[in-house]
Amino acid sequence: MTSIYKNIRVGLVLLAGLLVCLTGCDKKAASSASKSTFVVADEFRHPLDPLDTNEIKSVKEILLASGKMDTNQLLFLINLHEPPKAEILAYQAGQPFRREAFVCSYNYDKNLVSESVVDLKAKKVLSFKTVSDVQPGTFEKDSIINDVLKKDSGWVAALKKRNIAPDSVRCWGQFVGELGMAPKSHRELIGVPSYKNKKYKSLPIAGLYAFVDMTDRKVVKIIDEDGKYTTPTDIGYFNADSAKVR
């Protein structure tokens, strides 16, 4: 009986060793397959493939090194600058091809939009120009609209009329282009307030909006619908007795 147990124990040890070996082989095979897949994918890149993360990082480095851009500028758009159609039609797999990026940047302090084309292979700026009377879309930096509104007496009064403390509100700036309320080419946003407490987080405060000149950082107009919408409504979707069958 003892010899039987001994044989069983030896068999289990051998089985465990075999499993470890197989697992290690699977990992090596998976690793090898992963590497070969990456090489194949990289080898057959196409001129119209989107820019990858390394190329996008390179765009910023090239612009900064050229002196065309400084750290005060925000990169709003980085896209592939497509090669001429004739080059695309003539392209065959494995051939070298140009790699360029089109970039739109914005200097928030100077309110200036710039467009540039960057050669990612030669690591140089091919073109750079400032575009007047245009504005890019919304930036995270537009969040300073909260600071602008908190200093405006009309905005604070409108909130207090609704029994809402200014510090309990967060305002999102919606980019709307040029509305003509601020001087031409100034950056204009519509401020949309919402609650920031846990219960009503992200719930808009309807009936109250602000048009803000972000270039001069001042409120140009407030839309206040006389406190028509004053209190959040608990509809109670998940309460059994809140739904009435007709």
Side-chain angles (χ1 to χ4, degrees), residues 4 8 13 27 42 50 64 81-83 113 118 124 133 150 161 175-176 191 197 204 232 239-240 244 246:
I4 294 176
I8 292 175
V13 170
K27 287 182 178 179
D42 188 63
L64 288 172
H81 187 249
E82 297 182 3
V113 174
V118 176
K124 66 179 182 179
D133 297 332
K150 285 179 180 179
K161 184 171 62 175
F175 180 71
V176 291
N197 57 53
N239 296 334
K244 296 181 180 179
R246 295 183 180 179

Side-chain angles (χ1 to χ4, degrees), residues 54-128:
N54 290 327
E55 289 174 319
I56 291 173
K57 290 177 182 177
S58 183
V59 166
K60 180 180 178 181
E61 293 170 358
I62 294 169
L63 284 169
L64 288 172
S66 71
K68 298 293 186 182
M69 188 185 84
D70 57 37
T71 54
N72 289 323
Q73 288 181 264
L74 304 173
L75 295 174
F76 174 67
L77 178 70
I78 305 177
N79 276 348
L80 174 69
H81 187 249
E82 297 182 3
K85 188 173 183 179
E87 292 185 18
I88 299 297
L89 294 175
Y91 171 74
Q92 294 183 1
Q95 291 180 339
F97 52 86
R98 71 171 75 195
R99 200 66 175 162
E100 298 172 356
F102 173 78
V103 185
C104 178
S105 58
Y106 179 65
N107 189 312
Y108 214 100
D109 295 330
K110 296 181 180 179
N111 190 35
L112 291 175
V113 174
S114 300
E115 293 180 353
S116 56
V117 176
V118 176
D119 186 330
L120 292 166
K121 289 191 173 181
K123 296 189 180 301
K124 66 179 182 179
V125 179
L126 300 178
S127 66
F128 185 90

Side-chain angles (χ1 to χ4, degrees), residues 145 148-149 152-156 158 171 176 179-183 188-193 207-214 217-225:
I145 191 174
V148 175
L149 287 169
D152 185 81
S153 59
W155 180 258
V156 173
C171 193
V176 291
L179 294 176
M181 293 187 178
E188 298 181 56
L189 300 181
I190 294 180
V192 181
L208 181 61
Y209 310 95
F211 293 84
V212 182
D213 180 346
M214 296 298 292
R217 299 186 182 180
K218 68 178 183 180
V219 178
V220 294
K221 185 176 181 179
I222 293 176
I223 302 297
D224 183 357
E225 298 186 340

